[in-house]
Amino acid sequence: MAASSKSSGKPTPMMEQYLALKREAEGSLLFYRMGDFFELFFDDAKIAADILDIALTSRGEHGGEPVAMCGVPVHSAEGYLARLIKAGQRVAIAEQVETPDEAKARAKREGKPSSKVLVARDIVRFVTAGTLTEEALLEPRRANLLVAVCEVRGTLGFASCDISTGSMVLEECEPSLLGATLARLGPSEVVMPEDFEHSLEDAATQARSLFASDEGAERLKALHGVSTLDGFGEFTRPMLAAAGGLIAYLTHVGRGELPFLLPPSSRAGALGMAMDEATRTSLEILETSGGGRAGSLVATLDRCSSGAGSRLLAQDLSAPLLDQLAIEDRLALVQFWLGRPIERANLRDCLRALPDFGRALGRIVAGRGSPRDLGQVRDGLGEAARLHDWLSSEADRPALLDLLLPELTGHGALIDQLSRALVASPPTERSNGGFIAEGYDASLDELRQMSGNARRAIAAMEARYREETGISSLKIKHNGVLGYFIEVPSRHADTLMAPDSGFTHRQTMKGAVRFNSLTLHEEASRVSEAGGRALALEEAHFGELTGVVAQAREAIAATAAALARIDVSAGNAERASEGDWARPEISESGALNIVGGRHPVVEAALAKAGERFVANDCKLSGDDRLWLIGGPNMGGKSTFLRQNALIALMAQAGCFVPATSAHIGLVDRLFSRVGASDNLARGRSTFMVEMVETAAILSQATSQSLVILDEVGRGTSTYDGLALAWAVVEAVHSRIECRCLFATHYHELSRLAETCEQLSLHHVRAREWKGDLVLLHELAEGPADRSYGLAVAKLAGVPQGVIARASQVLEKLEAARNETGGLAAGLGELPLFAAAAASAPAETSEEALARRLKEADLDALSPREALDLLYDLKNGLD
Ligand code: ADP
């Protein structure tokens, strides 16, 4: 940047403009438009160069320091933006908002020398993770949520929206459920008041005054043109305050333009199965603990044909229902498709070909739509209408389908208009026109014909000029600077240079000379005038068509949502038929009775390796509702625990389940805990994490909940861990009285069966066969007979010497325990491992000699080496 002259240190006008924009951009990186590039300066440049791995240069200086700089080409900016956003950055885009000519004219008006004037630039929008609409920046199978959160008199309000589809949901909860709610929503970006009490990493902040409930309600009413919000649902103050904050943030990001928002709905009353963050993480619902989608529950289940379907499935699994009728409705629709394999295949083909027109609509309403987006809305609505006609003729339709069918139609006039107006595959770029179909507008057709005629006239002119001048290499060409011109090689230029030739000289190039002629000029003006008017006409039609689409946005969004629901049900049916899954029976019985249950993800992984998954039953009910599960490590305890939690979750999300049969008494809250997971990254010790998470269960679980605890207590020394595990089991059993599966390697816990009536003992089976351990992955009743720890260690490849030593230690421990009954009594009598190893009898010198002789490879020795060895051995004897 021509930053400042060295002597004065006074910033140049451009630097002043940059710094002013940068201040306006607040915490965002500033993309500063210069010609065909977006440039970044100072720290912005360093951050961006690092993330994008592009060259960092410098330009001029500011305050005595060189100014760091990097840039990205405008035409490929989207890809770079995507990477910056992914890395957690926000970007402000500063465009030139006038042309250099306009800038000069302005300078003239202001009486300034035109050489000094700078093209005006302004921030036209902010690009942030939660406010993306561009197809290239969005993941097709993931919703993209922006969530605003704030607190009003001790209650948290949440407003979440996905502006790529326009959905908006308001809800509230107690502050203790902040983490759980955010975990369920899974936002791409969070915005909160500056002084929000609860710390949230990476959240955007804005003034508290923007989170005002009155203002929020007014903005919503104005947005949807209603005088009361009652028609949309019941909204509390915290919800409306959050909505106010959300709308304020969207207005800021869009520089005054609001994106597409549907009327809000309230989640109050539509309460689902509650799950906190730890539970979601440990069940790997949408992502694995490693962070990817592959290997998660949703990836294993997803057979949706459209991105919108996949997004809805993820939403279903994140928020399973608690309303039996609603669950049955979803299941009935899955069953409907399951029984119609041919129709299902047809439907899935149709849906696969469908454009993601919900997102196209989002772009159109946000003012960032393209002719292609209009085409997608046309195609999507047309397909929806065809599906409607087909599905309405199907017999025995389930209630949910009947509810969805009317949403698929009603767009006849719009489809008709878009079909007439647009060419078959409209382009993304509209500045070159060509997207309005022939026959839609007679005056446009006429203009196109005029410019076509003129073009043809120009082509004919070329032939005529060649003939008249006798120059066969004469050409009529076109470029952006000169427009149309006549070009001949230099050696023929004289003919055309003659004063009476009818040609006027325009430009001399190396090897060629360019001319104009009056007739060419006339035809060329016709082309450009007709072309310019045609473009303007197309632009006007574009504006009108987007207006019509925006007008119908709510109905179009409803159509997209109905198609997504149908897609999810057909996808679930497909998955159920692949895996021979069962329709779960739902009730309020308080039982969990699963026969032949499997873990969908582990089963799929094993199948890939050609291995079989062993199905297991789980039968929890009133008088036997806490299962304590022992058995060797790697025996299948964790898998069993999780599969049952997942089956309950899937059932309440309206999916079929991997089991022979499943009876699910509705689960109000699901808790899953894994002991001693390596969670040091969060700055708390693993044991602390384990205890904080366990404490949450003890305070939140109800008798309708399902709790799975995997080796809780493992994160600390044996006595503490055992004592805590013991106390937790007792509390779950006798105070909370909910269904629970508890896996543990503490033998001692089996004593609990003596005092806890509704607790029973189970174990995963294993057998030792010819000294090797065989894990059967089969659940059986009764306590584990022994832990097989050493056999598992052997299986894991621990060296034989260590195993042998461990056997010695174990023998002593067990002997001591038999004497005293104490867990680790007798440890004091044991010499340490190292000391014991040292006290093992040493070799005698004869034994050493014999060993060395045995080890020597005589064939490999040279005569000289053999002699040396002999000397050595003799010395050894001495
Ligand atoms: P544990 O919790 O007892 O240490 P896991 O549940 O982690 O054991 O299971 C260890 C491995 O055993 C799994 O990764 C899986 O490959 C296999 N496994 C578990 N359960 C089964 C099963 N029911 N059928 C077949 N293989 C299983």
Side-chain angles (χ1 to χ4, degrees):
M1 168 173 293
S4 60
S5 66
K6 270 184 192 170
S7 49
S8 72
K10 189 170 169 295
T12 59
M14 182 184 254
M15 177 54 103
E16 275 174 6
Q17 185 188 54
Y18 173 85
L19 292 174
L21 289 170
K22 178 65 195 165
R23 273 192 297 280
E24 224 177 298
E26 291 170 355
S28 306
L29 300 179
L30 183 67
F31 267 36
Y32 183 84
R33 176 78 182 252
M34 288 176 81
D36 291 336
F37 278 81
F38 285 120
E39 304 286 5
L40 295 105
F41 299 105
F42 301 104
D43 286 347
D44 282 9
K46 292 180 192 155
I47 295 170
D50 194 37
I51 295 172
L52 301 174
D53 200 15
I54 55 175
L56 185 68
T57 57
S58 65
R59 176 169 169 169
E61 60 175 40
H62 179 66
E65 297 279 323
V67 178
M69 166 176 126
C70 67
V72 302
V74 171
H75 68 88
S76 55
E78 271 198 2
Y80 292 109
L81 275 174
R83 280 159 65 195
L84 289 171
I85 301 300
K86 229 185 178 133
Q89 299 292 331
R90 298 181 174 83
V91 179
I93 311 261
E95 286 280 8
Q96 297 174 190
V97 292
E98 61 181 4
T99 62
D101 285 344
E102 285 167 344
K104 276 182 202 144
R106 181 167 51 83
K108 206 165 174 189
R109 281 197 307 279
E110 293 168 2
K112 288 183 194 154
S114 67
S115 60
K116 287 276 167 61
V117 76
L118 190 63
V119 177
R121 289 180 176 81
D122 202 359
I123 296 179
V124 293
R125 67 181 280 232
F126 288 85
V127 185
T128 75
T131 57
L132 298 175
T133 52
E134 285 82 353
E135 217 172 348
L137 306 188
L138 287 167
E139 286 179 42
R141 294 186 180 266
R142 240 195 102 198
N144 197 49
L145 282 197
L146 170 68
V147 173
V149 53
C150 62
E151 186 166 344
V152 177
R153 286 193 292 277
T155 302
L156 295 183
F158 293 83
S160 52
C161 70
D162 184 341
I163 66 163
S164 68
T165 57
S167 70
M168 179 169 183
V169 180
L170 307 184
E171 59 188 288
E172 64 172 28
C173 71
E174 305 160 25
S176 66
L177 293 178
L178 174 65
T181 307
L182 285 177
R184 168 167 52 74
L185 293 168
S188 301
E189 187 179 3
V190 177
V191 53
M192 62 182 191
E194 280 160 347
D195 55 352
F196 195 53
E197 278 180 22
H198 316 268
S199 82
L200 288 177
E201 269 173 47
D202 298 332
T205 55
Q206 56 182 14
R208 145 119 4 219
S209 59
L210 296 172
F211 290 83
S213 57
D214 296 346
E215 184 74 9
E218 287 314 313
R219 296 296 301 271
L220 284 173
K221 284 187 217 164
L223 198 60
H224 301 293
V226 292
S227 57
T228 159
L229 296 173
D230 293 350
F232 302 144
E234 274 191 30
F235 304 106
T236 61
R237 296 238 155 230
M239 293 183 191
L240 291 171
L246 183 80
I247 295 176
Y249 185 68
L250 287 171
T251 312
H252 160 73
V253 167
R255 303 293 278 170
E257 289 281 317
L258 265 186
F260 174 35
L261 290 175
L262 287 166
S265 60
S266 160
R267 241 184 79 91
L271 279 184
M273 174 198 265
M275 288 183 275
D276 57 16
E277 193 179 352
T279 301
R280 286 167 199 279
T281 315
S282 92
L283 292 178
E284 307 193 309
I285 301 172
L286 302 186
E287 285 187 345
T288 61
S289 47
R293 187 179 193 262
S296 65
L297 178 68
V298 70
T300 311
L301 298 196
D302 189 357
R303 294 294 181 273
C304 291
S305 308
S306 67
S310 295
R311 299 197 292 273
L312 184 60
L313 176 65
Q315 204 176 312
D316 286 358
L317 294 174
S318 313
L321 306 174
L322 203 50
D323 174 350
Q324 191 178 342
L325 289 179
I327 299 171
E328 295 292 357
D329 272 347
R330 287 189 190 171
L331 291 171
L333 192 51
V334 179
Q335 178 109 53
F336 174 81
W337 290 117
L338 193 65
R340 289 167 175 72
I342 297 175
E343 289 84 349
R344 187 172 79 231
N346 281 341
L347 172 79
R348 296 180 69 238
D349 283 343
C350 289
L351 293 171
R352 205 167 296 125
L354 209 67
D356 199 338
F357 68 97
R359 283 188 166 174
L361 175 70
R363 288 188 290 275
I364 292 170
V365 179
R368 283 178 227 143
S370 70
R372 181 163 174 264
D373 291 325
L374 288 175
Q376 291 198 344
V377 169
R378 170 198 62 192
D379 299 345
L381 294 179
E383 199 55 41
R386 273 188 292 284
L387 279 174
H388 170 268
D389 295 347
W390 163 37
L391 294 176
S392 343
S393 67
E394 287 287 319
D396 305 324
R397 292 188 306 273
L400 181 55
L401 189 55
D402 272 337
L403 201 71
L404 295 171
L405 277 181
E407 309 277 10
L408 298 183
T409 52
H411 304 290
L414 178 61
I415 300 174
D416 178 59
Q417 187 178 7
L418 290 174
S419 306
R420 281 186 299 110
L422 296 169
V423 298
S425 1
T428 328
E429 182 56 51
R430 70 172 195 268
S431 55
N432 300 325
F435 51 87
I436 297 292
E438 235 181 273
Y440 180 64
D441 175 349
S443 43
L444 177 63
D445 291 346
E446 201 174 308
L447 285 170
R448 282 179 176 164
Q449 200 178 0
M450 272 162 67
S451 94
N453 286 344
R455 268 178 235 267
R456 274 188 292 281
I458 290 172
M461 208 181 295
E462 184 180 81
R464 202 174 72 233
Y465 283 154
R466 282 183 189 172
E467 203 174 303
E468 284 173 10
T469 58
I471 306 169
S472 60
S473 49
L474 177 147
K475 285 198 178 83
I476 295 183
K477 291 185 171 176
H478 182 269
N479 71 25
V481 184
L482 297 182
Y484 283 97
F485 54 86
I486 301 149
E487 187 178 285
V488 294
S490 313
R491 61 197 145 86
H492 294 301
D494 286 352
T495 323
L496 276 68
M497 284 288 196
D500 57 351
S501 67
F503 296 97
T504 43
H505 174 256
R506 295 196 70 182
Q507 203 176 23
T508 301
M509 315 283 296
K510 195 166 167 257
V513 183
R514 293 170 171 178
F515 296 90
N516 201 358
S517 78
L518 199 60
T519 16
L520 176 61
H521 179 72
E522 277 168 8
E523 291 298 347
S525 325
R526 271 191 205 118
V527 172
S528 75
E529 198 195 302
R533 281 171 52 205
L535 273 186
L537 256 187
E538 288 207 54
E539 189 60 30
H541 285 306
F542 179 78
E544 183 197 338
L545 292 171
T546 50
V548 179
V549 167
Q551 200 77 59
R553 60 184 174 231
E554 281 166 31
I556 299 174
T559 304
L563 284 173
R565 175 53 69 205
I566 293 174
D567 189 11
V568 168
S569 63
N572 282 340
E574 183 72 19
R575 187 64 185 90
S577 102
E578 267 175 38
D580 202 9
W581 290 1
R583 174 174 177 166
E585 235 179 275
I586 311 286
S587 74
E588 305 212 345
S589 65
L592 188 73
N593 191 344
I594 296 166
V595 178
R598 281 112 61 199
H599 188 301
V601 180
V602 176
E603 184 177 31
L606 287 178
K608 260 195 197 144
E611 286 171 47
R612 205 174 60 85
F613 189 91
V614 181
N616 279 306
D617 301 348
C618 172
K619 296 184 177 177
L620 301 179
S621 63
D623 53 0
D624 179 16
R625 56 180 153 66
L626 198 161
W627 280 18
L628 206 60
I629 301 160
N633 263 330
M634 294 301 287
K637 300 186 293 298
S638 304
T639 308
F640 178 73
L641 258 53
R642 285 189 175 80
Q643 85 191 25
N644 292 303
L646 291 178
I647 287 174
L649 182 161
M650 288 165 67
Q652 290 186 219
C655 304
F656 277 36
V657 296
T660 317
S661 73
H663 177 126
I664 314 289
L666 285 170
V667 172
D668 68 345
R669 287 163 187 235
L670 179 62
F671 292 94
S672 167
R673 294 292 184 269
V674 185
S677 59
D678 227 350
N679 211 341
L680 282 172
R682 273 163 51 182
R684 285 190 278 181
S685 81
T686 50
F687 182 66
M688 241 334 247
V689 172
E690 195 177 321
M691 284 305 116
V692 168
E693 290 177 352
T694 306
I697 298 187
L698 300 177
S699 69
Q700 292 165 19
T702 76
S703 60
Q704 294 301 307
S705 305
L706 173 62
V707 175
I708 66 172
L709 295 164
D710 190 357
E711 301 271 11
V712 162
R714 189 169 58 175
T716 186
S717 74
T718 312
Y719 273 131
D720 295 359
L722 174 58
L724 281 164
W726 186 291
V728 168
V729 171
E730 273 184 351
V732 168
H733 174 271
S734 309
R735 192 162 62 73
I736 302 172
E737 304 186 333
C738 67
R739 289 160 287 179
C740 173
L741 298 171
F742 192 112
T744 182
H745 65 277
Y746 289 123
H747 262 314
E748 292 73 9
L749 283 182
S750 52
R751 302 278 303 273
L752 275 165
E754 293 162 16
T755 49
C756 297
E757 296 222 323
Q758 280 95 39
L759 177 150
S760 61
L761 302 176
H762 302 258
H763 64 278
V764 285
R765 292 184 57 208
R767 245 196 231 130
E768 257 184 290
W769 193 70
K770 292 192 180 163
D772 281 331
L773 183 70
V774 184
L775 299 169
L776 301 175
H777 300 125
E778 204 180 281
L779 211 77
E781 286 185 19
D785 48 355
R786 35 185 287 227
S787 81
Y788 297 99
L790 300 187
V792 172
K794 191 174 152 201
L795 212 61
V798 174
Q800 185 58 43
V802 177
I803 302 271
R805 174 62 187 148
S807 305
Q808 286 176 352
V809 176
L810 183 65
E811 237 169 69
K812 290 231 177 191
L813 282 174
E814 282 178 345
R817 177 167 60 187
N818 290 343
E819 272 166 32
T820 65
L823 169 66
L827 262 182
E829 295 164 29
L830 273 168
L832 292 174
F833 181 78
S839 70
E843 276 177 332
T844 62
S845 58
E846 285 81 7
E847 281 167 344
L849 204 69
R851 182 176 53 74
R852 291 192 63 191
L853 263 175
K854 257 192 216 152
E855 280 170 5
D857 181 356
L858 298 184
D859 289 335
L861 294 181
S862 68
R864 173 80 214 176
E865 284 166 341
L867 191 62
D868 285 347
L869 178 67
L870 205 55
Y871 274 119
D872 232 27
L873 291 177
K874 193 163 169 350
N875 283 343
L877 264 187
D878 295 342

